[in-house]
Amino acid sequence: MLKSIQQFFEQKILRPQSEPENAEQALHLATAALFIEVVRSDFEVHETEKRAVEASLARLLGLDPTATSELVELAEREADESVSLFEFTNLVHQNFTPEDKVSIMELLWGVAFADGKLDHHEEHLMRKIQHLLHIPHKDFIASKLRARGSAKKS
């Protein structure tokens, strides 16, 4: 089992970073997988959350609707196969600026709030992501408050 985990890590994480043409695609996929993990964290997938994921990814990554849908499908498969959040958060942490990571956190909060309620499983996952992305607590809370404010306006 340990060997299969190591192979997965090498194939999905290390190799894409070493091939420049795949690095951006791997980063997009890792980012999208974090969004999928947030959607799934409360064990209920709502249509509003799916729409929030697609809108957030399109805005964040500058993708058209077709590319966004394809990315979400790939991210769902990656999330199904993943063994931890580290494989996704490590790519995001290494390749985004601190400001970008706070923006991502705010968009993730937006997905968590998209169904009109914040489940304790969602909150727990968001805290794990915050720690793995090394986002300061004050920025984590500020992103949460901004996302909650935006959700209430919708």
Side-chain angles (χ1 to χ4, degrees):
M1 180 177 211
L2 187 58
K3 186 174 181 165
S4 64
I5 293 170
Q6 182 179 4
Q7 286 174 338
F8 179 83
F9 185 77
E10 288 171 357
Q11 290 173 348
K12 303 292 184 177
I13 304 302
L14 297 179
R15 191 172 302 141
Q17 286 182 333
S18 64
E19 298 171 7
E21 65 274 2
N22 292 331
E24 183 176 2
Q25 186 177 26
L27 181 58
H28 288 183
L29 188 56
T31 305
L34 288 177
F35 281 86
I36 298 303
E37 293 289 354
V38 170
V39 168
R40 293 176 175 179
S41 65
D42 65 356
F43 308 104
E44 295 178 28
V45 178
H46 297 277
E47 194 60 38
T48 55
E49 292 172 322
K50 288 181 180 180
R51 286 193 303 269
V53 165
E54 289 185 357
S56 295
L57 288 172
R59 187 172 7 147
L60 178 68
L61 304 175
L63 302 174
D64 63 49
T66 303
T68 302
S69 293
E70 289 174 6
L71 179 61
V72 168
E73 285 180 34
L74 285 171
E76 287 173 341
R77 286 194 296 249
E78 286 293 316
D80 288 342
E81 295 176 11
S82 73
V83 293
S84 74
L85 289 175
F86 179 78
E87 59 201 70
F88 306 131
T89 57
N90 187 50
L91 277 175
V92 171
H93 177 64
Q94 297 297 326
N95 291 284
F96 280 113
T97 66
E99 295 80 17
D100 290 338
K101 291 187 289 186
V102 171
S103 295
I104 290 169
M105 183 62 66
E106 186 172 340
L107 292 171
L108 289 170
W109 276 119
V111 170
F113 286 120
D115 63 359
K117 62 184 182 342
L118 180 63
D119 183 84
H120 69 279
H121 294 292
E122 291 169 323
E123 176 112 31
H124 179 73
L125 179 63
M126 294 298 290
R127 289 188 183 280
K128 287 170 68 172
I129 292 170
Q130 174 223 349
H131 290 293
L132 290 167
L133 294 180
H134 304 277
I135 295 174
H137 185 69
K138 67 178 180 61
D139 294 333
F140 173 74
I141 295 301
S143 67
K144 178 182 181 180
L145 294 174
R146 285 191 302 270
R148 185 179 356 182
S150 294
K152 287 182 180 179
K153 292 177 187 176
S154 300

